[in-house]
């Protein structure tokens, strides 16, 4: 008798405390407490294109030069490696050793929705920065975009305010 493929869960990570919290919360609630987790896990980081930062150079940086572009791209690759290493460490600390880790280049909104389609995920998990309506309008919201555009269920994990959290525990 053939066994059914497990559904896939994609988790978007970055270097924020909100993404770290979302990863830890998801591992605690879906993976750590069970011998046979209900999902295959894919952790995705969206590395920005260096072009996004060209023209924002500081003192002594020749804006738009090939050297500055390469330097910036190398720095973004190092940051991506560190973010993935951190996510891998969190997974290993919670005894989740069979996760897949990916770095894809582009805007996080599009990268995460593409990862959902690529892996035929049944759930996407993202953290929430908790921005108000005005900040979301100016900065954009990855979670809001994904909630409306991803072809699967989207779970937005919000880090609770410690005051609210302590009231809920009572």
């Amino acid at each position: 008798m053939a066994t059914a493929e497990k559904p896939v869960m994609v988790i978007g990570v970055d270097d924020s405390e909100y993404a770290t919290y979302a990863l830890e919360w998801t591992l605690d609630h879906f993976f750590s407490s069970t011998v046979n987790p209900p999902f295959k896990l894919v952790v995705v980081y969206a590395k920005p294109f260096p072009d996004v930062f060209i023209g924002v150079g500081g003192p002594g940086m020749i804006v738009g030069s090939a050297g500055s572009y390469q330097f910036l791209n190398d720095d973004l690759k190092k940051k991506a490696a560190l973010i993935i290493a951190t996510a891998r460490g969190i997974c290993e600390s919670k005894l989740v050793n069979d996760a897949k880790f990916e770095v894809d280049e582009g805007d996080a909104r599009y990268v995460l929705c593409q990862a959902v389609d690529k892996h035929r995920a049944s759930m996407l998990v993202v953290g929430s920065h908790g921005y108000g309506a005005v900040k979301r309008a100016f900065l954009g919201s990855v979670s809001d975009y994904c909630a409306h555009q991803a072809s699967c269920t989207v779970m937005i994990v919000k880090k609770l305010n410690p005051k609210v959290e302590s009231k809920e525990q009572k």
Side-chain angles (χ1 to χ4, degrees):
M1 185 168 132
T3 59
E5 270 293 302
K6 282 186 186 179
V8 175
M9 176 186 286
V10 171
I11 300 182
V13 295
D14 60 23
D15 60 348
S16 71
E17 66 182 282
Y18 306 100
T20 300
Y21 179 80
L23 176 61
E24 290 175 340
W25 187 93
T26 303
L27 294 175
D28 288 343
H29 288 83
F30 288 93
F31 293 88
S32 294
S33 62
T34 178
V35 174
N36 189 16
F39 294 97
K40 283 200 255 183
L41 180 63
V42 180
V43 179
V44 177
Y45 171 66
K47 180 181 97 48
F49 289 116
D51 312 37
V52 173
F53 301 101
I54 297 297
V56 193
M61 187 172 183
I62 301 169
V63 178
S65 73
S68 63
Y69 181 91
Q70 187 59 47
F71 175 79
L72 182 57
N73 194 42
D74 290 346
D75 194 48
L76 290 170
K77 285 179 182 176
K78 288 176 188 170
K79 181 178 179 179
L82 180 61
I83 289 168
I84 290 296
T86 300
R88 187 182 314 270
I90 291 168
C91 288
E92 289 172 356
S93 75
K94 301 205 180 263
L95 304 176
V96 178
N97 298 309
D98 57 352
K100 181 176 181 182
F101 298 88
E102 294 182 358
V103 175
D104 292 316
E105 198 169 51
D107 185 298
R109 295 172 290 189
Y110 309 127
V111 166
L112 292 174
C113 288
Q114 289 167 353
V116 163
D117 293 340
K118 174 181 164 184
H119 295 287
R120 295 186 176 107
S122 57
M123 185 178 293
L124 170 64
V125 178
V126 292
S128 171
H129 286 244
Y131 293 143
V134 174
K135 265 193 177 176
R136 268 196 323 271
F138 283 107
L139 298 175
S141 168
V142 172
S143 59
D144 187 56
Y145 180 87
C146 291
H148 290 92
Q149 301 300 321
S151 59
C152 68
T153 299
V154 177
M155 181 170 63
I156 301 169
V157 179
K158 184 174 180 179
K159 186 173 183 180
L160 295 176
N161 179 327
K163 293 176 186 175
V164 173
E165 197 171 85
S166 64
K167 285 180 186 177
E168 286 184 357
Q169 291 175 352
K170 289 181 181 178

